Amino acid sequence: MTPRPIFDNPAYKGSDKLKGKVAIITGGDSGLGRAAAIAFVKEGAKVVIPYLNEDIDAKYTKDYLESYGGTCLLLKGDLKDKRF
């Protein structure tokens, strides 16, 4: 995508409003979901990101969240599949 989306405001510092919480963010591997995941981590939440097949995007997001000291669990699978 050109131009690349802006998904983070490095100047924003969180205040641990969500410390001890876990957020499940579908679509958190890119776009608005990635921006939401970053905001949750900045506020102290741990993040779980279920994603379909965008391995590179998901890994990039996980690494980015961890660079802020956050915790991110990636779950690859199809949410439409009841077994997942």
Side-chain angles (χ1 to χ4, degrees):
M1 183 179 297
T2 304
R4 300 283 301 159
I6 298 170
F7 54 83
D8 185 19
N9 176 0
Y12 177 77
K13 304 297 180 211
S15 58
D16 285 334
K17 293 174 188 166
L18 299 174
K19 190 170 185 153
K21 305 290 183 185
V22 176
I24 301 171
I25 304 174
T26 58
D29 56 308
S30 63
L32 289 173
R34 180 183 287 158
I38 292 167
F40 274 83
V41 162
K42 285 184 175 184
E43 291 300 339
K46 295 178 181 179
V47 174
V48 177
I49 299 175
Y51 71 100
L52 185 58
N53 58 9
E54 300 82 7
D55 296 316
I56 294 170
D57 288 343
K59 174 81 168 90
Y60 177 82
T61 301
K62 179 179 173 45
D63 292 343
Y64 198 91
L65 296 174
E66 290 175 348
S67 77
Y68 276 115
T71 301
C72 177
L73 173 64
L74 298 176
L75 298 175
K76 183 176 180 175
D78 187 351
L79 290 173
K80 294 182 291 186
D81 183 345
K82 291 181 182 183
R83 292 174 290 170
F84 176 68

